[in-house]
Amino acid sequence: MLIIAGLGNPGPKYAGNRHNIGFMAVDAIQRRQGFSAWSRKFKSEISEGEIDGERVLLMKPQTFMNLSGEALGDAMRFYKLAPKDIVVIYDELDLPAGKARIKTGGGHGGHNGIKSIDAHCGKEYRRLRLGIGHPGVKDLVHAHVLGDFAKADQAWLSLLLEAIADNAAMLVKGEDSQLMNKIALATGGKPETEKPVAVKKQAAQSHIHQARATAQPKKLPVTGPMADMLKKMFGPKGD
């Protein structure tokens, strides 16, 4: 079983906030993948379903962002799951708007929802970070995060959420590189490329050694004056 949790704050007041992009992502998965209706359990709204043969529990913690770990910790213990069985989707200030990155483990980066989950669940869970951009000035961060997405954001936002929902099977199967490619292509970015395999260099050799290694042995003459001389010098001698 896999838990996919989107982070946000509950209630209509926060529904359109940039901080709630995690809620938006799991809502998109729930609609696209034919999950059950939302119900209440584990201090969360939950929806159950199946993706690519894997049982999946979608969660939207209703504890407010700073206590998200309480909800995930309850579900994790109930189902006897490990951190590797959890995917958390949340907003990332340090990524440009519309970009996505995924990783396992790492620091909380000042995100209070992630800080809470680290405390209650451990750190080795997968994290799908969705960029909301940075306002450029530290004093504006709070208003930016808790502000609603602008109308101009809706174009990339809808494409991003649709790409996550369309390719949820990759998220479930751990095909992270493929998922990032799909999201990048859907949002008009460049696909992620694999790093080229480094070619192992041969140990340096002196020019003399190289010459010896590459030189072809010369054939000795078998006829003519030179051959006769060589026979006299190196041929068998009589008693």
Side-chain angles (χ1 to χ4, degrees):
M1 182 178 183
L2 185 72
I3 293 176
I4 301 178
L7 301 191
N9 288 310
K13 175 182 176 181
Y14 303 100
N17 285 183
R18 294 179 179 88
H19 216 23
N20 274 40
I21 196 171
F23 276 11
M24 298 174 192
V26 292
D27 279 336
I29 294 172
Q30 190 259 357
R31 290 192 300 268
R32 189 66 52 85
Q33 300 294 337
F35 275 63
S36 66
W38 292 104
S39 60
R40 293 272 183 157
K41 196 174 183 179
F42 308 123
K43 302 175 186 174
S44 302
E45 288 188 358
I46 65 168
S47 177
E48 298 181 73
E50 194 173 284
I51 299 176
D52 200 51
E54 180 82 14
R55 187 182 173 199
V56 175
L57 179 73
L58 301 177
M59 291 183 65
K60 295 190 292 182
Q62 301 295 293
T63 54
F64 284 92
M65 182 69 80
N66 294 5
L67 300 176
S68 298
E70 292 182 4
L72 263 75
D74 286 352
M76 184 177 163
R77 287 185 290 273
F78 181 85
Y79 291 110
K80 297 180 174 61
L81 300 177
K84 67 180 179 61
D85 302 313
I86 297 173
V87 178
V88 180
I89 308 176
Y90 62 100
D91 58 299
E92 176 57 79
L93 267 172
D94 293 329
L95 279 178
K99 300 296 182 183
R101 292 290 184 273
I102 191 166
K103 66 176 182 178
T104 298
H108 55 74
H111 194 291
N112 287 329
I114 297 301
K115 189 185 297 185
S116 176
I117 296 170
D118 286 354
H120 286 269
C121 304
K123 295 183 178 182
E124 294 306 305
Y125 55 89
R126 287 164 65 216
R127 307 155 190 237
L128 176 56
R129 300 173 293 147
L130 306 180
I132 59 170
H134 196 288
V137 179
K138 186 177 180 180
D139 291 344
L140 299 178
V141 166
H142 184 77
H144 178 75
V145 168
L146 293 180
D148 287 355
F149 283 106
K151 287 184 179 180
D153 295 324
Q154 297 306 315
W156 66 258
L157 180 60
S158 61
L159 292 174
L160 175 64
L161 299 177
E162 286 173 11
I164 292 170
D166 287 344
N167 299 287
M170 291 180 177
L171 186 62
V172 169
K173 291 186 289 187
E175 296 174 347
D176 295 343
S177 295
Q178 295 93 318
L179 177 62
M180 292 299 97
N181 285 340
K182 291 288 187 181
I183 291 175
L185 290 170
T187 54
K190 293 182 180 179
E192 302 287 329
T193 55
E194 294 183 0
K195 293 181 179 179
V197 177
V199 178
K200 188 176 180 180
K201 293 183 178 180
Q202 294 182 342
Q205 298 178 337
S206 71
H207 63 282
I208 297 174
H209 187 89
Q210 292 175 26
R212 287 174 177 169
T214 57
Q216 297 296 321
K218 295 181 180 180
K219 292 183 179 180
L220 297 175
V222 294
T223 61
M226 180 62 73
D228 293 339
M229 183 181 71
L230 290 173
K231 286 177 182 178
K232 288 179 181 179
M233 292 175 64
F234 302 107
K237 297 180 179 180
D239 293 334

